[in-house]
Amino acid sequence: MSSKPTVLFVCVHNAGRSQMAAGWLRHLASNTVEVRSAGSEPADHINPVAVEAMREVGIDITSQSPAKLTWDTAEASDVIITMGCGDACPVFPGKRYEDWKLTDPAGQPLDVVRQVRDDIRVQVQKLVDTLRT
């Protein structure tokens, strides 16, 4: 990894989990990490309940948009975190991979999405700690 690692968060729609994870990483790691997120089948917009849950903790993800996972984006990333994208996620030798088992916030009420948000924060903090060592 370079002095500024690149982390890619991937889920199916790139509208909830991966966007919240990217928001947390930007918040917790500041500008020490390049943050990307993508989806194997991106939605048209970010899940508004995920936006609200993140807003509650002072993180604004409204400037982000779901993006299509591309080979180039994955290849250029040092760490790839998957969240239920299945076989659509490419595998590259030498990359660090983690698969986070998280509830999909799609169609869930705010109280469930808050729990997902908090679970993601714990995972992202662990990630930040390992990137700094």
Side-chain angles (χ1 to χ4, degrees):
M1 270 186 257
S2 67
S3 61
K4 187 173 181 178
T6 300
V7 176
L8 171 63
F9 294 103
V10 183
C11 66
V12 176
H13 297 119
N14 191 222
R17 293 169 289 189
S18 56
Q19 292 288 353
M20 288 191 290
W24 274 121
L25 186 55
R26 285 183 192 98
H27 177 75
L28 295 171
S30 218
N31 63 355
T32 63
V33 177
E34 184 175 337
V35 182
R36 300 174 177 167
S37 69
S40 54
E41 298 174 28
D44 293 331
H45 58 276
I46 296 179
N47 179 336
V49 183
V51 169
E52 177 59 28
M54 293 301 285
R55 183 177 291 130
E56 289 179 350
V57 294
I59 299 173
D60 182 2
I61 60 173
T62 58
S63 65
Q64 305 302 310
S65 298
K68 177 77 173 158
L69 174 64
T70 66
W71 184 270
D72 292 342
T73 299
E75 187 176 38
S77 299
D78 298 306
V79 180
I80 300 174
I81 309 292
T82 58
M83 305 173 194
C85 65
D87 294 337
C89 296
V91 175
F92 294 95
K95 302 290 180 190
R96 175 179 163 188
Y97 288 89
E98 292 183 22
D99 184 46
W100 295 353
K101 306 292 185 206
L102 299 161
T103 300
D104 186 349
Q108 299 291 337
L110 184 56
D111 61 325
V112 172
V113 178
R114 284 180 180 130
Q115 184 60 54
V116 174
R117 173 201 66 204
D118 296 345
D119 292 345
I120 291 171
R121 185 195 190 287
V122 169
Q123 294 287 21
V124 169
Q125 185 59 64
K126 289 178 189 176
L127 174 66
V128 168
D129 292 345
T130 65
L131 293 173
R132 289 182 176 156
T133 59

